[in-house]
C-alpha cells in the first residue's frame, strides 16, 4: 500500500518531446513537492503545493509546469525536453511543512532524454 | 548556491563500530534539520530530526548532534549494521520553508 506513488518509474524519450510524470499520495498530507536529483546527486526543490495552491516555485524553466487537481495529486508536465532534463525526479508529501516527520518521498522517476 | 554540504561522499565502517556522518550549512536562519536514508532505486526515507532549540536527539541506534555556532550537524550510528549501508542525506529548513538537501554520503558497513 504505497504512500507516495510516482508513475512511470523510468522514462526514456527524445529531445523536443513533451512528457508528464504523475504523483499521488494517500497519506492525507496537505503539501506536495517535486524535487530533482541531478547527476551530482544534488536533491533540489522545484515546486511545492499546499492544498492545491502553488507555494514554492524555484528557478525552474517554464517548460516545467506542475498541476495539482486535488491535494492528493501533483503532476509534473515537461515541454520540449532537453538533454539537461535527464535526472531522477522525486515527488514528496508532508504535513506541517515536514517539521514533525519530514517528507515522505516516492521512489523516483528516472528520466532519460536522448 | 549550495546551502547544505556533505563533504564526504563516502564512508566505510566495520560492523559494530560507530558511523559518523557530517553535514555543514551556511544559512544561520536554518532552524530544523532532518536526516534521510536512501537505498538504490528507492526514495529517501526519513530517519531522525532535530530542532535548533536542541543540541542532541536520539532514536535507538541513531543520534543527531547539532552545533549551531559551527553550523554543523552529525549523525552517529552505534553500533553500525550491514543493513545501514545506504546513502544518507541531511536537510535543513528555515522558518517552515522548504528543506534544502546535501549531496549525500554513501555509507558502507563491512560485515
Amino acid at each position: 500500500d504505497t504512500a507516495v506513488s510516482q508513475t512511470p518509474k523510468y522514462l526514456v524519450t527524445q529531445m523536443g518531446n513533451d512528457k508528464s510524470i504523475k504523483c499521488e499520495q494517500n497519506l492525507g498530507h496537505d503539501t506536495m513537492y517535486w524535487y530533482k536529483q541531478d547527476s551530482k546527486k544534488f536533491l533540489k526543490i522545484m515546486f511545492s503545493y499546499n492544498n492545491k495552491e502553488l507555494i514554492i516555485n524555484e528557478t525552474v524553466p517554464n517548460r516545467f509546469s506542475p498541476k495539482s487537481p486535488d491535494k492528493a495529486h501533483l503532476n509534473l508536465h515537461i515541454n520540449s525536453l532537453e538533454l539537461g532534463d535527464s535526472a531522477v525526479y522525486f515527488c514528496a508529501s508532508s504535513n506541517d511543512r515536514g517539521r514533525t516527520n519530514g517528507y515522505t518521498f516516492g521512489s523516483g522517476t528516472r528520466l532519460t532524454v536522448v | 548556491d549550495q546551502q547544505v554540504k556533505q563533504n564526504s561522499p563516502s564512508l566505510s565502517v566495520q560492523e559494530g563500530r560507530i558511523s559518523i556522518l557530517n553535514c555543514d550549512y551556511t544559512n544561520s536562519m536554518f532552524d530544523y534539520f532532518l536526516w534521510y536514508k536512501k537505498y538504490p532505486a528507492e526514495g529517501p526515507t526519513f530517519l531522525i530530526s532535530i530542532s535548533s532549540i536542541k543540541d542532541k536527539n536520539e532514536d535507538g541506534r541513531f543520534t543527531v548532534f547539532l552545533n549551531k555556532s559551527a553550523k554543523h550537524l552529525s549523525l552517529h550510528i552505534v553500533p553500525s549494521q550491514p543493513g545501514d549501508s545506504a546513502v544518507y542525506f541531511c536537510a535543513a529548513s528555515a522558518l517552515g520553508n522548504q528543506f534544502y538537501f546535501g549531496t549525500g554520503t554513501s555509507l558502507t558497513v563491512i560485515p
Side-chain angles (χ1 to χ4, degrees), chain A residues 38-102:
Chain A
D38 60 23
S39 58
K40 295 180 182 177
K41 306 302 181 187
F42 184 37
L43 263 169
K44 186 170 181 180
I45 182 80
M46 299 175 70
F47 301 103
S48 173
Y49 270 72
N50 180 266
N51 285 319
K52 294 173 29 179
E53 286 192 30
L54 180 66
I55 55 171
I56 295 170
N57 183 356
E58 292 290 304
T59 307
V60 175
N62 57 15
R63 298 181 294 103
F64 290 78
S65 54
K67 286 190 172 46
S68 182
D70 55 60
K71 72 174 195 176
H73 295 83
L74 180 61
N75 304 322
L76 184 65
H77 189 75
I78 316 170
N79 288 328
S80 303
L81 277 155
E82 300 177 357
L83 292 176
D85 297 332
S86 295
V88 182
Y89 292 84
F90 287 99
C91 177
S93 69
S94 75
N95 272 340
D96 190 30
R97 303 286 179 101
R99 307 285 267 185
T100 306
N101 293 313

Side-chain angles (χ1 to χ4, degrees), chain B residues 25-53:
Chain B
Y25 60 95
T26 56
N27 188 343
S28 57
M29 298 299 291
F30 285 149
D31 62 350
Y32 203 81
F33 305 87
L34 306 173
W35 280 96
Y36 279 84
K37 177 178 180 179
K38 184 183 181 301
Y39 292 117
E42 294 183 13
T45 55
F46 170 71
L47 199 55
I48 192 168
S49 64
I50 189 165
S51 162
S52 61
I53 61 173

